[in-house]
């Protein structure tokens, strides 16, 4: 699929992939899972939420991903990430 993207989209995705690299392996996996499985089909609003999450410091992001902090702005996205990590991304693709 990478070849189907224009150069600007490919560069942006590469930048996002770099920002998915975190100080914690669990966060790396969580953010890359969303990027790989859902980002391309996401709405503009969901993409903006994902990029806002990427802008957080690791401790804050970890609290959101683990469910210790719950912010209604990010709740649907965090739930999607959790289901994807749980191996339920096929069910999400069919939805």
């Amino acid at each position: 699929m990478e070849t189907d993207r224009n150069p600007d989209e490919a560069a942006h995705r590469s930048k996002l992939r770099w920002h998915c690299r975190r100080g914690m392996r669990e966060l790396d996996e969580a953010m890359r899972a969303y990027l790989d499985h859902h980002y391309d089909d996401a709405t503009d609003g969901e993409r903006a939420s994902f990029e806002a999450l990427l802008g957080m410091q690791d401790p804050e992001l970890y609290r959101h991903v683990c469910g210790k902090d719950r912010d209604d702005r990010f709740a649907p996205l965090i739930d999607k990430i959790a289901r994807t990590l749980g191996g339920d991304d096929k069910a999400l693709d069919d939805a």
Side-chain angles (χ1 to χ4, degrees):
M1 251 199 242
E2 291 281 332
T3 57
D4 294 342
R5 292 191 187 98
N6 73 44
D8 291 337
E9 289 172 349
H12 184 67
R13 188 175 176 92
S14 179
K15 181 179 173 184
L16 290 175
R17 182 165 296 286
W18 176 255
H19 286 288
C20 286
R21 295 183 59 170
R22 312 302 294 204
M24 299 174 66
R25 183 177 51 88
E26 295 86 353
L27 291 178
D28 290 356
E29 291 173 4
M31 304 314 280
R32 277 194 316 243
Y34 176 83
L35 182 65
D36 292 343
H37 294 280
H38 302 293
Y39 186 83
D40 289 340
D41 298 322
T43 65
D44 290 342
E46 188 172 293
R47 286 180 176 200
S49 292
F50 178 70
E51 292 181 31
L53 287 174
L54 288 178
M56 292 180 179
Q57 296 295 315
D58 284 354
E60 181 182 10
L61 177 58
Y62 184 75
R63 287 191 306 272
H64 283 287
V65 171
C66 289
K68 293 180 180 180
D69 286 349
R70 187 88 173 160
D71 186 324
D72 290 340
R73 294 176 298 157
F74 303 119
L77 180 57
I78 295 295
D79 291 344
K80 187 179 280 190
I81 290 169
R83 289 191 306 265
T84 301
L85 287 173
D88 199 17
D89 60 319
K90 175 67 175 135
L92 290 170
D93 290 340
D94 292 340

Coordinates of all heavy atoms in Angstrom, one line a residue:
M1 N 0.8 -1.2 0.0 CA 0.0 0.0 0.0 C 0.8 1.3 0.0 O 0.4 2.3 -0.4 CB -0.9 0.0 1.2 CG -2.4 -0.2 0.9 SD -3.4 0.3 2.2 CE -4.2 -1.2 2.6
E2 N 2.1 1.2 0.5 CA 2.9 2.4 0.5 C 3.1 3.0 -0.8 O 3.1 4.2 -0.9 CB 4.3 2.0 1.1 CG 4.3 1.6 2.5 CD 4.3 2.8 3.5 OE1 4.8 3.9 3.1 OE2 3.8 2.7 4.6
T3 N 3.1 2.2 -1.9 CA 3.3 2.8 -3.2 C 2.1 3.5 -3.7 O 2.2 4.3 -4.7 CB 3.7 1.6 -4.2 OG1 2.6 0.7 -4.2 CG2 5.0 1.0 -3.8
D4 N 0.9 3.3 -3.1 CA -0.3 4.0 -3.5 C -0.4 5.4 -3.0 O -1.2 6.2 -3.5 CB -1.6 3.2 -3.1 CG -1.7 1.9 -3.8 OD1 -1.0 1.7 -4.8 OD2 -2.4 1.0 -3.2
R5 N 0.4 5.7 -2.1 CA 0.4 7.1 -1.4 C 1.2 8.1 -2.2 O 2.2 7.7 -2.8 CB 0.9 7.0 0.0 CG 0.0 6.2 0.9 CD 0.5 6.4 2.3 NE -0.2 5.5 3.2 CZ 0.2 4.3 3.6 NH1 1.4 3.9 3.3 NH2 -0.5 3.5 4.3
N6 N 0.7 9.3 -2.2 CA 1.6 10.3 -2.8 C 2.8 10.6 -1.9 O 2.7 10.2 -0.7 CB 0.7 11.6 -3.1 CG 0.3 12.4 -1.9 OD1 1.1 12.7 -1.0 ND2 -0.9 12.8 -1.9
P7 N 3.8 11.3 -2.4 CA 5.0 11.5 -1.5 C 4.7 12.3 -0.2 O 5.3 12.0 0.8 CB 5.9 12.3 -2.5 CG 5.5 12.0 -3.8 CD 4.0 11.7 -3.7
D8 N 3.8 13.2 -0.2 CA 3.5 14.0 1.0 C 2.8 13.1 2.0 O 3.2 13.2 3.2 CB 2.5 15.1 0.7 CG 3.2 16.2 -0.1 OD1 4.4 16.3 -0.1 OD2 2.5 17.0 -0.8
E9 N 1.9 12.2 1.6 CA 1.3 11.3 2.5 C 2.3 10.3 3.1 O 2.3 10.0 4.3 CB 0.2 10.5 1.9 CG -1.1 11.4 1.6 CD -2.1 10.6 0.7 OE1 -1.8 9.5 0.2 OE2 -3.2 11.2 0.6
A10 N 3.2 9.8 2.2 CA 4.2 8.9 2.7 C 5.2 9.5 3.7 O 5.5 8.9 4.7 CB 5.0 8.3 1.5
A11 N 5.5 10.8 3.4 CA 6.4 11.5 4.3 C 5.7 11.7 5.7 O 6.3 11.6 6.8 CB 6.9 12.8 3.7
H12 N 4.4 12.1 5.6 CA 3.7 12.3 6.9 C 3.6 11.0 7.7 O 3.8 11.0 8.9 CB 2.3 12.9 6.6 CG 1.5 13.2 7.8 ND1 1.9 14.2 8.6 CD2 0.4 12.7 8.3 CE1 1.0 14.3 9.6 NE2 0.1 13.3 9.4
R13 N 3.3 9.9 7.0 CA 3.2 8.6 7.7 C 4.5 8.2 8.3 O 4.6 7.7 9.4 CB 2.7 7.6 6.7 CG 2.4 6.3 7.5 CD 1.8 5.3 6.5 NE 1.6 4.0 7.1 CZ 0.4 3.7 7.7 NH1 -0.6 4.5 7.7 NH2 0.3 2.5 8.3
S14 N 5.6 8.5 7.6 CA 6.9 8.2 8.1 C 7.2 9.0 9.4 O 7.7 8.5 10.4 CB 8.0 8.5 7.0 OG 9.3 8.2 7.5
K15 N 6.8 10.2 9.3 CA 6.9 11.1 10.5 C 6.1 10.6 11.7 O 6.6 10.5 12.8 CB 6.5 12.5 10.2 CG 6.6 13.5 11.3 CD 6.2 14.9 10.8 CE 6.1 15.9 11.9 NZ 5.6 17.2 11.5
L16 N 4.9 10.2 11.4 CA 4.0 9.6 12.5 C 4.7 8.3 13.0 O 4.6 8.1 14.2 CB 2.6 9.3 11.9 CG 1.8 10.5 11.6 CD1 0.5 10.0 11.0 CD2 1.5 11.3 12.8
R17 N 5.2 7.5 12.1 CA 5.8 6.2 12.6 C 7.0 6.5 13.5 O 7.2 5.9 14.6 CB 6.3 5.4 11.4 CG 6.9 4.1 11.9 CD 7.1 3.1 10.7 NE 5.8 2.7 10.2 CZ 5.0 1.8 10.7 NH1 5.2 1.3 11.9 NH2 3.9 1.5 10.1
W18 N 7.7 7.6 13.2 CA 8.8 8.0 14.1 C 8.3 8.4 15.4 O 8.8 8.1 16.5 CB 9.6 9.1 13.4 CG 10.7 9.6 14.3 CD1 10.7 10.8 15.0 CD2 11.9 9.0 14.7 NE1 11.9 10.9 15.7 CE2 12.6 9.8 15.6 CE3 12.5 7.7 14.3 CZ2 13.9 9.4 16.1 CZ3 13.7 7.4 14.8 CH2 14.4 8.2 15.7
H19 N 7.2 9.2 15.5 CA 6.6 9.7 16.7 C 6.0 8.5 17.5 O 5.8 8.7 18.7 CB 5.6 10.8 16.5 CG 6.3 12.1 16.1 ND1 6.9 12.9 17.0 CD2 6.3 12.7 14.9 CE1 7.4 13.9 16.4 NE2 7.1 13.9 15.1
C20 N 5.7 7.4 16.9 CA 5.2 6.3 17.6 C 6.3 5.6 18.4 O 6.0 4.8 19.3 CB 4.6 5.2 16.6 SG 3.0 5.7 15.9
R21 N 7.5 5.9 18.1 CA 8.6 5.3 18.9 C 8.7 6.1 20.2 O 8.9 7.3 20.3 CB 9.9 5.5 18.2 CG 10.0 4.7 16.9 CD 11.3 4.8 16.2 NE 12.3 4.4 17.2 CZ 13.6 4.2 16.8 NH1 14.0 4.4 15.6 NH2 14.4 3.8 17.7
R22 N 8.4 5.4 21.3 CA 8.3 6.0 22.6 C 9.4 5.4 23.5 O 10.2 4.5 23.1 CB 6.9 5.7 23.2 CG 5.7 5.9 22.3 CD 5.7 7.4 21.8 NE 5.4 8.3 22.9 CZ 4.9 9.5 22.8 NH1 4.5 9.9 21.6 NH2 4.7 10.3 23.8
G23 N 9.4 5.8 24.7 CA 10.4 5.3 25.7 C 10.0 4.0 26.3 O 10.7 3.4 27.1
M24 N 8.8 3.6 26.0 CA 8.3 2.3 26.6 C 7.8 1.4 25.5 O 7.0 1.9 24.6 CB 7.1 2.6 27.5 CG 7.4 3.5 28.7 SD 5.9 3.9 29.7 CE 5.5 2.3 30.3
R25 N 8.2 0.2 25.5 CA 7.8 -0.7 24.4 C 6.3 -0.9 24.3 O 5.8 -1.0 23.2 CB 8.5 -2.1 24.7 CG 8.2 -3.1 23.6 CD 8.9 -4.5 23.9 NE 8.7 -5.0 25.2 CZ 7.6 -5.8 25.5 NH1 6.8 -6.1 24.6 NH2 7.5 -6.2 26.8
E26 N 5.6 -0.9 25.4 CA 4.2 -1.0 25.4 C 3.5 0.1 24.6 O 2.6 -0.1 23.9 CB 3.6 -1.1 26.8 CG 4.0 -2.3 27.6 CD 5.4 -2.1 28.3 OE1 6.1 -1.1 28.1 OE2 5.7 -3.0 29.1
L27 N 4.0 1.3 24.8 CA 3.5 2.5 24.0 C 3.9 2.4 22.6 O 3.1 2.7 21.7 CB 4.0 3.8 24.6 CG 3.4 4.1 26.0 CD1 4.1 5.4 26.5 CD2 1.9 4.2 26.0
D28 N 5.1 1.9 22.3 CA 5.5 1.7 20.9 C 4.5 0.8 20.2 O 4.0 1.1 19.1 CB 6.9 1.0 20.8 CG 8.0 1.9 21.2 OD1 7.8 3.0 21.5 OD2 9.1 1.3 21.2
E29 N 4.2 -0.3 20.8 CA 3.3 -1.3 20.2 C 1.9 -0.8 20.1 O 1.2 -1.0 19.1 CB 3.3 -2.6 21.1 CG 4.6 -3.3 21.0 CD 4.7 -4.5 22.0 OE1 3.6 -4.8 22.6 OE2 5.7 -5.1 22.0
A30 N 1.4 -0.1 21.1 CA 0.0 0.5 21.0 C -0.1 1.5 19.9 O -1.1 1.4 19.1 CB -0.3 1.1 22.4
M31 N 0.8 2.4 19.8 CA 0.7 3.5 18.8 C 0.9 3.0 17.4 O 0.2 3.3 16.5 CB 1.6 4.6 19.2 CG 1.4 5.2 20.6 SD -0.4 5.5 21.0 CE -0.7 7.0 20.2
R32 N 1.9 2.1 17.3 CA 2.1 1.5 15.9 C 0.9 0.6 15.5 O 0.6 0.6 14.3 CB 3.4 0.7 15.9 CG 4.6 1.5 15.7 CD 5.8 0.7 15.3 NE 5.9 -0.5 16.2 CZ 6.9 -0.7 17.0 NH1 7.9 0.1 17.1 NH2 6.9 -1.8 17.7
A33 N 0.3 -0.1 16.4 CA -0.8 -0.9 16.1 C -1.9 -0.1 15.5 O -2.5 -0.5 14.4 CB -1.3 -1.7 17.3
Y34 N -2.2 1.0 16.1 CA -3.3 1.9 15.5 C -2.8 2.4 14.2 O -3.6 2.4 13.2 CB -3.6 3.1 16.5 CG -4.5 4.0 15.8 CD1 -5.9 3.8 15.9 CD2 -4.1 5.1 15.1 CE1 -6.8 4.6 15.3 CE2 -5.0 6.0 14.5 CZ -6.4 5.7 14.6 OH -7.3 6.5 13.9
L35 N -1.6 2.9 14.1 CA -1.1 3.5 12.8 C -1.2 2.4 11.7 O -1.7 2.7 10.6 CB 0.3 4.0 13.0 CG 1.0 4.6 11.8 CD1 0.3 5.9 11.4 CD2 2.5 4.9 12.0
D36 N -0.8 1.2 12.0 CA -0.8 0.2 10.9 C -2.1 -0.3 10.6 O -2.4 -0.7 9.4 CB 0.1 -1.0 11.4 CG 1.6 -0.6 11.5 OD1 2.0 0.4 10.9 OD2 2.3 -1.4 12.1
H37 N -3.1 -0.4 11.5 CA -4.3 -1.0 11.3 C -5.5 -0.1 11.0 O -6.5 -0.5 10.4 CB -4.7 -1.9 12.4 CG -3.8 -3.1 12.6 ND1 -3.9 -4.2 11.8 CD2 -2.7 -3.3 13.4 CE1 -3.0 -5.1 12.2 NE2 -2.2 -4.5 13.1
H38 N -5.4 1.2 11.5 CA -6.6 2.0 11.4 C -6.4 3.4 10.9 O -7.4 4.1 10.5 CB -7.2 2.1 12.8 CG -7.6 0.8 13.4 ND1 -8.6 0.0 12.8 CD2 -7.0 0.1 14.4 CE1 -8.7 -1.1 13.5 NE2 -7.7 -1.1 14.5
Y39 N -5.2 3.9 10.9 CA -5.0 5.3 10.6 C -5.4 5.7 9.2 O -6.1 6.7 9.0 CB -3.5 5.7 10.8 CG -3.2 7.2 10.6 CD1 -3.5 8.1 11.6 CD2 -2.8 7.7 9.4 CE1 -3.2 9.4 11.5 CE2 -2.6 9.1 9.2 CZ -2.8 9.9 10.2 OH -2.6 11.3 10.1
D40 N -5.1 4.8 8.2 CA -5.5 5.1 6.8 C -7.0 5.3 6.6 O -7.4 6.1 5.8 CB -5.0 4.0 5.9 CG -3.5 4.1 5.8 OD1 -2.8 5.1 6.1 OD2 -2.9 3.0 5.4
D41 N -7.8 4.6 7.4 CA -9.2 4.6 7.2 C -9.9 5.6 8.2 O -11.1 5.7 8.2 CB -9.8 3.2 7.4 CG -9.3 2.3 6.3 OD1 -9.2 2.7 5.2 OD2 -9.1 1.1 6.6
A42 N -9.1 6.2 9.1 CA -9.7 7.1 10.1 C -10.2 8.4 9.5 O -9.8 8.9 8.5 CB -8.6 7.4 11.2
T43 N -11.2 9.0 10.3 CA -11.7 10.3 9.9 C -10.6 11.3 10.2 O -9.7 11.1 11.0 CB -13.0 10.6 10.7 OG1 -12.6 10.7 12.1 CG2 -14.1 9.6 10.5
D44 N -10.8 12.5 9.7 CA -9.9 13.6 10.0 C -9.8 13.9 11.5 O -8.8 14.1 12.1 CB -10.3 14.9 9.3 CG -10.0 14.8 7.8 OD1 -9.2 13.9 7.4 OD2 -10.6 15.6 7.1
G45 N -11.0 13.8 12.2 CA -11.1 14.0 13.6 C -10.3 13.0 14.4 O -9.6 13.3 15.4
E46 N -10.5 11.7 14.0 CA -9.7 10.6 14.7 C -8.2 10.8 14.5 O -7.4 10.5 15.4 CB -10.3 9.3 14.2 CG -9.7 8.1 15.0 CD -10.4 6.8 14.7 OE1 -11.6 6.7 14.9 OE2 -9.7 5.9 14.1
R47 N -7.9 11.1 13.3 CA -6.4 11.3 13.0 C -5.9 12.5 13.8 O -4.8 12.4 14.4 CB -6.2 11.7 11.5 CG -6.4 10.5 10.6 CD -6.2 10.9 9.2 NE -6.2 9.7 8.3 CZ -5.7 9.6 7.1 NH1 -5.1 10.7 6.6 NH2 -5.8 8.5 6.4
A48 N -6.6 13.5 14.0 CA -6.2 14.6 14.8 C -6.0 14.2 16.3 O -5.1 14.6 17.0 CB -7.2 15.8 14.7
S49 N -7.0 13.4 16.8 CA -6.9 12.9 18.1 C -5.6 12.0 18.3 O -4.9 12.1 19.3 CB -8.1 12.0 18.5 OG -9.2 12.9 18.6
F50 N -5.4 11.1 17.3 CA -4.2 10.3 17.4 C -2.9 11.1 17.4 O -2.0 10.9 18.2 CB -4.2 9.4 16.1 CG -2.9 8.5 16.1 CD1 -2.8 7.4 17.0 CD2 -2.0 8.7 15.1 CE1 -1.7 6.6 16.9 CE2 -0.9 7.8 15.0 CZ -0.7 6.8 15.9
E51 N -2.9 12.1 16.6 CA -1.7 13.0 16.6 C -1.5 13.8 17.9 O -0.4 14.0 18.3 CB -1.7 13.9 15.4 CG -1.5 13.1 14.1 CD -1.5 13.9 12.8 OE1 -1.1 15.0 12.8 OE2 -1.9 13.3 11.8
A52 N -2.7 14.1 18.5 CA -2.6 14.8 19.8 C -2.1 13.8 20.9 O -1.3 14.2 21.7 CB -4.0 15.3 20.2
L53 N -2.5 12.6 20.8 CA -1.9 11.6 21.7 C -0.4 11.5 21.5 O 0.3 11.4 22.5 CB -2.6 10.2 21.5 CG -4.0 10.1 22.0 CD1 -4.5 8.7 21.6 CD2 -4.1 10.2 23.5
L54 N 0.0 11.5 20.3 CA 1.5 11.4 20.0 C 2.2 12.5 20.6 O 3.4 12.4 20.8 CB 1.7 11.2 18.5 CG 1.3 9.9 17.8 CD1 1.6 10.0 16.3 CD2 2.1 8.7 18.5
G55 N 1.6 13.7 20.7 CA 2.2 14.9 21.3 C 2.4 14.8 22.8 O 3.0 15.7 23.3
M56 N 1.8 13.9 23.4 CA 1.8 13.8 24.9 C 3.2 13.2 25.3 O 3.8 12.4 24.6 CB 0.7 12.9 25.4 CG -0.7 13.4 25.3 SD -1.8 12.2 26.0 CE -3.4 13.1 25.7
Q57 N 3.6 13.5 26.5 CA 4.7 12.9 27.2 C 4.4 11.5 27.5 O 3.2 11.2 27.8 CB 5.1 13.7 28.4 CG 5.6 15.1 28.1 CD 6.9 15.1 27.3 OE1 7.8 14.4 27.6 NE2 6.9 16.0 26.3
D58 N 5.3 10.6 27.6 CA 5.1 9.2 27.8 C 4.3 8.9 29.1 O 3.3 8.1 29.0 CB 6.4 8.4 27.8 CG 7.0 8.2 26.5 OD1 6.4 8.6 25.5 OD2 8.1 7.6 26.4
P59 N 4.6 9.5 30.2 CA 3.8 9.1 31.4 C 2.3 9.5 31.2 O 1.4 8.7 31.6 CB 4.4 10.0 32.5 CG 5.8 10.2 32.1 CD 5.7 10.4 30.5
E60 N 2.0 10.6 30.6 CA 0.6 11.0 30.4 C -0.1 10.0 29.4 O -1.2 9.6 29.6 CB 0.5 12.4 29.9 CG -0.9 12.9 29.6 CD -0.9 14.3 29.1 OE1 0.1 14.9 28.7 OE2 -2.0 14.9 29.0
L61 N 0.6 9.8 28.3 CA 0.1 8.8 27.3 C -0.1 7.5 27.8 O -1.2 6.8 27.6 CB 1.0 8.8 26.1 CG 0.7 7.8 24.9 CD1 -0.7 8.2 24.4 CD2 1.7 7.8 23.9
Y62 N 0.8 7.0 28.6 CA 0.7 5.7 29.3 C -0.6 5.6 30.2 O -1.3 4.6 30.1 CB 1.9 5.3 30.1 CG 1.9 4.0 30.7 CD1 2.1 2.8 29.9 CD2 1.7 3.8 32.0 CE1 2.1 1.6 30.4 CE2 1.7 2.5 32.6 CZ 1.9 1.4 31.8 OH 1.9 0.2 32.3
R63 N -0.8 6.7 30.9 CA -2.0 6.7 31.8 C -3.3 6.6 30.9 O -4.3 5.9 31.3 CB -2.1 7.9 32.7 CG -1.0 7.9 33.8 CD -1.2 9.0 34.8 NE -1.3 10.3 34.2 CZ -0.2 11.1 34.0 NH1 1.0 10.6 34.3 NH2 -0.3 12.3 33.5
H64 N -3.3 7.2 29.8 CA -4.5 7.1 28.9 C -4.6 5.7 28.3 O -5.7 5.2 28.3 CB -4.4 8.1 27.8 CG -4.7 9.5 28.2 ND1 -6.0 9.9 28.4 CD2 -3.9 10.6 28.4 CE1 -6.0 11.2 28.8 NE2 -4.8 11.7 28.7
V65 N -3.5 5.2 27.8 CA -3.6 3.9 27.1 C -3.9 2.8 28.1 O -4.7 1.9 27.8 CB -2.2 3.6 26.4 CG1 -2.2 2.1 25.9 CG2 -2.1 4.5 25.2
C66 N -3.5 2.9 29.4 CA -3.8 1.9 30.4 C -5.1 2.1 31.0 O -5.6 1.3 31.8 CB -2.7 1.9 31.5 SG -1.1 1.3 30.8
G67 N -5.8 3.2 30.7 CA -7.1 3.5 31.3 C -7.1 4.1 32.7 O -8.1 4.3 33.3
K68 N -5.9 4.5 33.1 CA -5.8 5.2 34.4 C -6.4 6.6 34.4 O -7.0 7.1 35.3 CB -4.4 5.2 34.9 CG -3.9 3.9 35.3 CD -2.5 3.9 35.8 CE -2.0 2.5 36.1 NZ -0.6 2.5 36.6
D69 N -6.2 7.3 33.2 CA -6.8 8.6 32.9 C -7.9 8.4 31.8 O -7.6 7.7 30.9 CB -5.8 9.6 32.5 CG -4.9 10.1 33.6 OD1 -5.2 9.8 34.8 OD2 -3.9 10.7 33.3
R70 N -9.0 9.0 32.0 CA -10.0 8.8 30.9 C -10.4 10.2 30.5 O -10.9 11.0 31.3 CB -11.2 8.1 31.5 CG -12.3 7.7 30.5 CD -12.0 6.4 29.9 NE -13.1 6.0 29.1 CZ -13.0 5.1 28.1 NH1 -11.8 4.5 27.9 NH2 -14.0 4.8 27.4
D71 N -10.2 10.5 29.2 CA -10.6 11.8 28.7 C -11.6 11.5 27.5 O -11.3 10.7 26.6 CB -9.4 12.5 28.1 CG -9.6 13.9 27.6 OD1 -10.7 14.1 27.0 OD2 -8.7 14.8 27.8
D72 N -12.8 12.1 27.6 CA -13.8 11.8 26.6 C -13.4 12.1 25.2 O -13.8 11.4 24.2 CB -15.1 12.5 26.9 CG -15.8 12.0 28.2 OD1 -15.5 10.9 28.6 OD2 -16.6 12.8 28.7
R73 N -12.4 13.0 25.0 CA -12.0 13.3 23.7 C -11.2 12.1 23.0 O -11.3 12.0 21.8 CB -11.0 14.5 23.7 CG -11.6 15.8 24.1 CD -10.5 16.9 24.2 NE -9.6 16.5 25.2 CZ -8.3 17.0 25.3 NH1 -7.9 17.8 24.4 NH2 -7.5 16.6 26.3
F74 N -10.6 11.4 23.9 CA -9.7 10.3 23.4 C -10.3 8.9 23.6 O -9.8 7.9 23.1 CB -8.3 10.3 24.0 CG -7.6 11.6 23.8 CD1 -7.3 12.4 24.9 CD2 -7.3 12.1 22.5 CE1 -6.6 13.6 24.7 CE2 -6.6 13.3 22.3 CZ -6.3 14.1 23.4
A75 N -11.4 8.8 24.3 CA -11.9 7.5 24.8 C -12.2 6.6 23.6 O -11.8 5.4 23.6 CB -13.2 7.7 25.6
P76 N -12.9 7.0 22.5 CA -13.1 6.0 21.4 C -11.8 5.6 20.7 O -11.7 4.4 20.4 CB -14.0 6.8 20.4 CG -14.6 8.0 21.2 CD -13.6 8.3 22.3
L77 N -10.9 6.4 20.6 CA -9.6 6.1 20.0 C -8.8 5.1 20.9 O -8.3 4.1 20.5 CB -8.8 7.3 19.7 CG -7.4 7.2 19.1 CD1 -7.5 6.4 17.8 CD2 -6.7 8.5 18.9
I78 N -8.8 5.4 22.2 CA -8.1 4.5 23.2 C -8.7 3.2 23.2 O -8.1 2.1 23.2 CB -8.1 5.2 24.6 CG1 -7.2 6.5 24.6 CG2 -7.6 4.2 25.6 CD1 -5.8 6.3 24.3
D79 N -10.1 3.1 23.1 CA -10.8 1.8 23.1 C -10.4 1.1 21.8 O -10.2 -0.1 21.9 CB -12.3 2.1 23.1 CG -12.8 2.6 24.5 OD1 -12.0 2.5 25.5 OD2 -13.9 3.1 24.5
K80 N -10.3 1.8 20.7 CA -9.9 1.1 19.4 C -8.5 0.6 19.5 O -8.2 -0.6 19.1 CB -10.0 2.1 18.3 CG -9.8 1.4 16.9 CD -9.9 2.4 15.8 CE -11.4 2.7 15.5 NZ -11.6 3.5 14.2
I81 N -7.6 1.3 20.1 CA -6.2 0.9 20.3 C -6.2 -0.4 21.2 O -5.5 -1.4 20.9 CB -5.3 2.0 20.9 CG1 -5.1 3.1 19.9 CG2 -4.0 1.4 21.4 CD1 -4.5 4.4 20.4
A82 N -6.9 -0.3 22.3 CA -7.0 -1.5 23.2 C -7.5 -2.7 22.5 O -7.0 -3.8 22.7 CB -7.8 -1.1 24.4
R83 N -8.6 -2.6 21.8 CA -9.1 -3.7 21.0 C -8.1 -4.3 20.0 O -8.0 -5.5 19.8 CB -10.5 -3.4 20.4 CG -11.6 -3.2 21.4 CD -12.9 -3.1 20.8 NE -13.0 -2.1 19.7 CZ -13.5 -0.9 19.9 NH1 -13.9 -0.5 21.1 NH2 -13.6 0.0 18.9
T84 N -7.4 -3.4 19.4 CA -6.4 -3.8 18.4 C -5.3 -4.6 19.0 O -4.9 -5.6 18.5 CB -5.9 -2.6 17.6 OG1 -6.9 -1.9 17.0 CG2 -4.8 -3.0 16.6
L85 N -4.8 -4.1 20.2 CA -3.8 -4.8 20.9 C -4.3 -6.2 21.4 O -3.5 -7.1 21.5 CB -3.3 -4.0 22.1 CG -2.4 -2.8 21.7 CD1 -2.2 -1.9 22.9 CD2 -1.2 -3.2 21.0
G86 N -5.6 -6.2 21.7 CA -6.1 -7.5 22.2 C -6.4 -8.5 21.0 O -7.0 -9.5 21.2
G87 N -6.1 -8.1 19.8 CA -6.2 -9.0 18.7 C -7.6 -8.9 18.0 O -7.9 -9.8 17.2
D88 N -8.4 -7.9 18.4 CA -9.7 -7.8 17.9 C -9.8 -6.8 16.7 O -10.9 -6.2 16.5 CB -10.7 -7.4 19.0 CG -12.1 -7.7 18.7 OD1 -12.4 -8.5 17.8 OD2 -13.0 -7.1 19.4
D89 N -8.7 -6.5 16.0 CA -8.8 -5.5 15.0 C -9.6 -6.0 13.8 O -10.1 -5.2 13.0 CB -7.4 -5.0 14.6 CG -6.5 -6.1 14.0 OD1 -6.5 -7.2 14.6 OD2 -5.8 -5.9 13.1
K90 N -9.7 -7.3 13.6 CA -10.5 -7.8 12.5 C -12.0 -7.4 12.7 O -12.6 -6.9 11.7 CB -10.4 -9.3 12.4 CG -11.3 -9.9 11.3 CD -10.9 -9.5 9.9 CE -11.7 -10.3 8.9 NZ -12.2 -9.5 7.9
A91 N -12.4 -7.5 13.9 CA -13.8 -7.1 14.2 C -14.0 -5.6 13.9 O -15.1 -5.2 13.4 CB -14.2 -7.4 15.6
L92 N -13.0 -4.8 14.2 CA -13.1 -3.4 13.9 C -13.1 -3.1 12.4 O -13.8 -2.2 12.0 CB -11.9 -2.6 14.6 CG -12.0 -2.6 16.1 CD1 -10.7 -2.1 16.7 CD2 -13.1 -1.7 16.6
D93 N -12.3 -3.8 11.7 CA -12.3 -3.6 10.2 C -13.6 -3.9 9.6 O -14.0 -3.3 8.6 CB -11.2 -4.5 9.6 CG -9.8 -4.0 10.0 OD1 -9.6 -2.9 10.4 OD2 -8.9 -4.8 9.8
D94 N -14.4 -4.9 10.2 CA -15.7 -5.3 9.6 C -16.8 -4.3 10.0 O -17.8 -4.3 9.4 CB -16.0 -6.7 10.1 CG -15.1 -7.8 9.5 OD1 -14.5 -7.5 8.4 OD2 -15.1 -8.9 10.0
A95 N -16.5 -3.5 11.1 CA -17.5 -2.6 11.6 C -17.8 -1.4 10.7 O -17.0 -1.1 9.9 CB -17.2 -2.1 13.0

